[in-house]
Amino acid sequence: MLTPPRTVVRRDGGLYALERALQRRGFRHVAGADEAGRGACAGPLVAAAAVLPEGRRGEIEGLADSKLLTPASRERIYDEVVARALAYAVVVIPADEVDARGLHVCNLAAMRRALASLTTRPEYVLSDGFGVDGLDVPGLAVWKGDRVAACVAAASVLAKVTRDRIMVELDGRYPGYGFAEHKGYITPEHTAALRELGPCREHRFSYVNVATVSGRDGRPPRSRRPAAGDPDAPLFGGPGPDEPLFGGPGPDEPVFGGPGPDEPLFGGPVAALFGGPEEVPAGSPDEPMERSGAPGGTVGVALGEQPRPPAPVGEDVVMEGGVR
């Protein structure tokens, strides 16, 4: 039996070279997965997945790593990705779940659920930085994937724009922290606000800087977040513990989740991915993290909104490790 020749992808092949090479090998639908908000000490963690069509239709002008784009460019490319993608999905992980389960666990779980929610079954998965286990399709973790593969860059834009919109909304709910400007990342202004006001419900108490100003730095990371109703909890304003932040389902409403632990992520009947409603207690470790949206993609809290005019926010390239 002859071994097929190696596929060589040149570094100067451009953003679409890796996907085109996989498609020539027979993997028509290549999905990319990425996240936004790992380094932030406030706000949710957001993961996204996207499958772009083959050929010219899948080529989006100006598509690049979301951290290298201006806010206006991200909004434009976001609209292009939503309009052109064969499928896309966005999963939002709230700050309290990051505290409870750990950042890395939530990151992988969110990307896995986003990939599982795609309405077009991927035949190959490219993920940014970390490999995603538990998939029944081949995949590859790509270092700086949002600068190497178009589908990963598209996912990074979806995740980044969604999270930025959430942070702008949180700025109105929790004034004084400057969420609309720094998006929950650690800046001198954010640090000063934390010292003056103390953390709010959207801060991650498992992060050392938040735990320190809350007076809970001596506790284990996952027990730093105050319980609801704790009189010593330094939380200010915002919705109550049973009130949804973004108009999502209430505590007595059914939540539509992804596949169960024993169900296949890909390849099974549609009902395996999008079955009947199942009520899950709020805050349970098994509570689904994504919300279903319109056909063509499962979307997070802000994806159904029309693009807003960019707020006068500061660019956060430096905060996420990029270059201005």
Side-chain angles (χ1 to χ4, degrees):
M1 181 176 176
L2 295 177
T3 302
R6 270 182 82 187
T7 298
V8 177
V9 180
R10 295 177 56 87
R11 287 182 178 272
D12 58 357
L15 195 62
Y16 296 88
L18 183 53
E19 284 169 82
R20 298 295 181 258
L22 288 168
Q23 288 163 352
R24 288 195 298 271
R25 285 290 187 170
F27 301 103
R28 292 186 56 204
H29 299 147
V30 181
D34 199 5
E35 52 70 34
R38 275 182 64 92
C41 67
L45 176 71
V46 178
V51 179
L52 297 177
E54 300 176 81
R56 296 292 296 273
R57 178 167 173 74
E59 297 182 5
I60 299 173
E61 182 181 357
L63 178 62
D65 174 7
S66 63
K67 295 184 289 297
L68 303 181
L69 299 170
T70 65
S73 295
R74 281 198 295 260
E75 290 282 353
R76 178 185 63 80
I77 292 172
Y78 171 92
D79 291 340
E80 288 284 331
V81 172
V82 169
R84 297 191 186 198
L86 296 178
Y88 68 93
V90 175
V91 172
V92 177
I93 312 294
D96 57 353
E97 189 158 353
V98 173
D99 285 341
R101 304 181 68 184
L103 176 66
H104 189 61
V105 170
C106 286
N107 187 27
L108 295 183
M111 288 199 289
R112 189 182 302 115
R113 287 182 180 232
L115 289 163
S117 300
L118 292 171
T119 54
T120 296
R121 180 187 186 274
E123 298 169 359
Y124 201 98
V125 170
L126 299 174
S127 55
D128 182 45
F130 302 98
V132 182
D133 58 2
L135 307 178
D136 64 351
V137 296
L140 178 67
V142 183
W143 178 249
K144 298 289 185 182
D146 43 11
R147 304 186 188 187
V148 175
C151 58
V152 180
S156 78
V157 170
L158 291 175
K160 176 66 175 164
V161 170
T162 300
R163 189 177 186 281
D164 283 358
R165 291 177 179 179
I166 293 173
M167 296 309 297
V168 170
E169 185 167 348
L170 287 176
D171 185 67
R173 292 175 178 268
Y174 300 94
Y177 294 100
F179 288 153
E181 296 180 4
H182 52 65
K183 304 302 190 299
Y185 289 90
I186 302 170
T187 65
E189 294 77 16
H190 192 183
T191 299
L194 268 172
R195 289 172 179 167
E196 179 183 354
L197 302 175
C200 71
R201 293 189 183 278
E202 290 301 319
H203 280 97
R204 301 177 186 175
F205 284 76
S206 55
Y207 281 45
V208 172
N209 65 320
V210 178
T212 300
V213 298
S214 70
R216 295 169 177 264
D217 52 317
R219 302 190 182 189
R222 297 188 185 185
S223 65
R224 287 173 179 161
R225 174 170 287 274
D230 183 347
D232 298 324
L235 305 175
F236 302 93
D242 299 323
E243 181 183 351
L245 278 180
F246 300 101
D252 299 324
E253 298 179 15
V255 179
F256 293 82
D262 300 322
E263 299 176 5
L265 289 181
F266 305 115
V270 173
L273 289 181
F274 304 101
E278 178 182 358
E279 293 191 12
V280 182
S284 166
D286 298 324
E287 182 182 6
M289 292 185 284
E290 70 273 4
R291 303 178 182 180
S292 297
T298 300
V299 298
V301 288
L303 285 181
E305 302 174 355
Q306 293 298 318
R308 305 176 184 177
V313 301
E315 184 54 66
D316 53 358
V317 170
V318 176
M319 301 175 210
E320 297 191 4
V323 179
R324 286 189 185 275

